Each structure stands twice: as C-alpha cells, then as structure tokens.
Amino acid sequence: MGTKIGIFGSGTVAKTLGEGFLKYGYEVKLGTRDTSKLAEWSAKTGIPAGSFPETAAFGEILVLAVKGFAAEKVLEAAGKANLSGKVILDATNPIKEAPPVNGVLQYFTDLNHSLMETLQAGYPDASFVKAFNSVGSALMVDPDLNGIKPSMFICGNDQAAKKTVTGILDTFGWETEDLGKAEAARAIEPLAILWCIPGFLQNDWVHAFKVLRR
C-alpha cells in the first residue's frame, strides 16, 4: 500500500489533490466537519472522508487545504498529538472574507509575518511546508503548459520535510523552487494575489509561474 495522505478540506483544492494522490498510488482520506458534504464525491472516487482527528491520525503526511481564516481552528480540531512529527503540506492563503479590489485580494496578514509562520509556531512538533498556494486547482496535478514544467515555490524549516514535498511535486509534474525557511512564506503567500489578478480581471485562471535562469 502507498503512503497515507490525510487532507484537511472538502473544497475543490482538497478534492483535486486527493484525486491526484490516489492516481499516483497513495492512500487518501479527506477530513471535514461534515462528512455528508463529501458522500457523493467519496462514492465516485473511492476516497473516504472522516473527521479532522480521524484524518490527522490516518495520514503519515498531511495536507492543509482549507480557507486561511479557518486553518488554526482546523488544526486545533485535528489535535496536537495527531499532528506531532508529521509533514504538513500547507496550501493555505490568508485571504480576508472581503471582495478583491480591482482584482487584488485582501489579506489578513502583512508582509512581515505569514500565516504559515503562525501555524508553525503553534505546532512546533510538526513540519510545515508551504506549497500549492500559488496556482489554481486546474493545474495542481499534471499541469499541461505546452510541455513547459512550471515552478512551485516552497519553504519550511525542516529539510527532510521539504524533500518529501519535493518528491510529491516531482510526481505531480512540477519543478520545485526551495526558498528556504518558514519566513519565506511572507513572499510565497502573496504570490496568490498576483496569480489571481488575471483571473479576476480577464477570467484567465489557467496559468502558472516559471523561474528562468541562464
């Protein structure tokens, strides 16, 4: 059997990543407050749903794919003991519950502190790695961009955890750009603002970032 992946969330990102992990041989469970929301999807995909604590206990690797303002409450519900020692792939963004201004999202953080730093400080026995926050769900797994492999920016304090996430990104068809420790999330999280502007202004949601070098 494959590595067990527990995904917190029941929205499009959680489902997309869940199906991607299943495709590549992982065992997957989605965690949600209300499993009935996922009943039809679970029946279709064969991916079970459970509570946040059940999903946290199940997963050898965890994925946080919830709205940013709910992230702390979800982790609290999952239980600190269930998170201890685990890699947590953090796909969240600190988006305010407010409309964008001329296509620009509003955040509840500032540029001197990121949501991921807050989460890492609250759960020091887990290893958070920021990833999948700066692209839409349509390109998260096997991105098709005319043969060009896009760049995924990651960061985190634990090198082994980042190696684990890099392996996942390799499998899913991404080139990894490791930007260092958790503080780099201050730069990575706002990339979602930049990524979303063409979407809000021109309905262009199928694009990704790419680092070019000589």
Side-chain angles (χ1 to χ4, degrees):
M1 301 296 278
T3 302
K4 293 179 178 177
I5 305 289
I7 302 176
F8 303 131
S10 54
T12 303
V13 171
K15 291 175 180 176
T16 298
L17 291 175
E19 290 175 29
F21 280 112
L22 183 68
K23 174 182 177 178
Y24 286 107
Y26 295 82
E27 284 189 75
V28 187
K29 179 182 286 240
L30 260 62
T32 178
R33 284 192 179 87
D34 179 7
T35 56
S36 66
K37 289 191 298 185
L38 289 168
E40 188 177 332
W41 179 82
S42 290
K44 176 185 168 187
T45 62
I47 297 172
S51 68
F52 291 131
E54 288 168 349
T55 302
F58 168 86
E60 298 166 85
I61 299 169
L62 302 175
V63 180
L64 188 59
V66 298
K67 291 182 178 178
F69 60 78
E72 289 184 87
K73 288 183 179 178
V74 167
L75 293 177
E76 185 180 347
K80 199 166 259 191
N82 291 326
L83 305 178
S84 181
K86 299 199 175 162
V87 175
I88 302 180
L89 194 162
D90 174 20
T92 64
N93 285 307
I95 300 169
K96 270 186 183 178
E97 289 189 280
V101 179
N102 291 324
V104 179
L105 289 170
Q106 300 184 59
Y107 273 19
F108 58 76
T109 53
D110 63 35
L111 291 178
N112 295 314
H113 198 76
S114 64
L115 175 58
M116 194 182 85
E117 287 174 274
T118 298
L119 302 178
Q120 182 64 82
Y123 298 86
D125 294 332
S127 298
F128 286 79
V129 180
K130 180 65 70 176
F132 286 116
N133 74 297
S134 59
V135 73
S137 58
L139 294 176
M140 287 183 173
V141 183
D142 302 327
D144 181 6
L145 293 161
N146 300 314
I148 298 170
K149 191 176 282 193
S151 304
M152 181 66 70
F153 301 98
I154 73 168
C155 67
N157 292 336
D158 186 88
Q159 283 298 127
K162 288 192 287 186
K163 187 175 180 181
T164 296
V165 171
T166 298
I168 291 168
L169 290 169
D170 287 346
T171 299
F172 281 17
W174 287 85
E175 176 185 88
T176 301
E177 292 288 335
D178 182 354
L179 300 187
K181 302 290 189 181
E183 289 81 3
R186 301 173 195 177
I188 297 174
E189 288 176 357
L191 288 176
I193 301 175
L194 182 61
W195 185 87
C196 283
I197 291 171
F200 288 128
L201 297 186
Q202 295 143 16
N203 198 31
D204 171 12
W205 298 102
V206 187
H207 57 272
F209 295 113
K210 174 70 176 179
V211 174
L212 301 176
R213 290 186 175 85
R214 287 187 65 180

